[in-house]
Amino acid sequence: MPILFDFYISPSDPEKEEKEKYHARVVRSHTVDINDIVNNISKRCTLSKGDIRAVLDELGDELVYNLCEGDRVYLPGIGYFYLSLSAPKDADPKTTRSQSIGIKSVEFRADSILKNSLENRARFERSDVKVHSSRLDIYEIDALLVDYFYENDFLTRTKFERLCGFTKTTAQRHLQRLLDEGRLVNVNTLHNPIYKPAKGFYGNV
């Protein structure tokens, strides 16, 4: 079946009057899990489902082992896996200790064989399902938050999504903006944030 896509407005500075720019993005409707992969592979070869699952489990463990050794992992026809590291914003080679370094993400660079196979087989079709975020400007968002905090003490990302009609990504982007502007404060952990109005905003006097 074709790859479903739609056009999305590219993020821009709301303070600047610029012509809207769009980018194409895949509209995801299903996540393929290990059971799907095992079932599909078993239909194309003589290996049992148990053998295939065991190989995939071992492959995951092998990836972890080699990445922890600082190595890149290359799977022919698939691509390279390697680590991207994080460091403090004020990192200094002379004073920053190794304990401050962490894993930012596991990066992947596709093999040319994989890219060529995709280019030869992929077909695209405009999606009929619209999953875009509502188009609210910063002033409309502020007005919604004033009303929300009149009746509520705390805000989560999920509630912010529903309040504004945003997708998860758009909600996270605006919440980070509101934090950076000092309009909201996170009163919980970094990975499980709960937001309150900063002093002077949204009824918090």
Side-chain angles (χ1 to χ4, degrees):
M1 64 176 292
I3 298 172
L4 299 180
F5 77 95
D6 206 349
F7 292 104
Y8 292 75
I9 297 175
S10 300
S12 60
D13 188 341
E15 299 295 334
K16 297 180 179 179
E17 294 185 3
E18 298 177 338
K19 183 179 179 181
E20 289 182 342
K21 296 180 180 179
Y22 292 83
H23 63 278
R25 189 190 306 170
V26 174
V27 177
R28 298 171 180 83
S29 59
H30 176 65
T31 298
V32 178
D33 62 21
I34 190 169
N35 292 320
D36 297 321
I37 294 173
V38 168
N39 289 333
N40 291 336
I41 293 177
S42 69
K43 295 174 183 177
R44 298 195 296 267
C45 69
T46 58
L47 292 175
S48 70
K49 292 181 180 179
D51 289 338
I52 296 169
R53 182 179 288 272
V55 170
L56 292 176
D57 288 341
E58 288 298 323
L59 176 60
D61 291 340
E62 188 68 12
L63 277 171
V64 170
Y65 172 79
N66 287 284
L67 291 174
C68 285
E69 291 290 304
D71 295 328
R72 292 189 303 168
V73 177
Y74 173 57
L75 301 179
I78 297 178
Y80 294 86
F81 295 86
Y82 55 96
L83 292 181
S84 173
L85 303 182
S86 64
K89 291 183 178 179
D90 57 350
D92 186 320
K94 296 180 180 179
T95 59
T96 301
R97 305 183 68 179
S98 57
Q99 291 87 342
S100 301
I101 305 301
I103 295 174
K104 182 178 181 181
S105 64
V106 177
E107 304 287 348
F108 172 72
R109 182 165 62 84
D111 193 330
S112 59
I113 296 174
L114 177 62
K115 290 191 288 186
N116 291 336
S117 296
L118 286 170
E119 290 172 357
N120 292 332
R121 295 178 58 180
R123 294 182 297 111
F124 298 93
E125 182 178 301
R126 183 82 178 270
S127 174
D128 293 330
V129 179
K130 303 301 179 184
V131 293
H132 298 259
S133 291
S134 298
R135 295 180 59 183
L136 300 176
D137 62 32
I138 59 176
Y139 307 106
E140 291 171 320
I141 294 171
D142 275 356
L144 288 172
L145 289 175
V146 168
D147 291 340
Y148 176 86
F149 283 117
Y150 181 77
E151 298 181 348
N152 302 274
D153 294 326
F154 301 99
L155 176 72
T156 63
R157 191 208 74 238
T158 302
K159 290 183 177 179
F160 185 63
E161 288 178 29
R162 294 171 183 167
L163 178 69
C164 298
F166 286 155
T167 61
K168 179 180 178 180
T169 301
T170 301
Q172 288 175 327
R173 177 164 56 84
H174 278 289
L175 285 169
Q176 186 59 54
R177 174 183 62 80
L178 293 166
L179 287 172
D180 293 341
E181 293 175 354
R183 296 172 178 269
L184 293 179
V185 292
N186 178 15
V187 295
N188 204 32
T189 64
L190 179 64
H191 297 293
N192 187 29
I194 296 176
Y195 306 97
K196 281 188 65 175
K199 191 171 181 62
F201 294 95
Y202 312 126
N204 183 12
V205 295

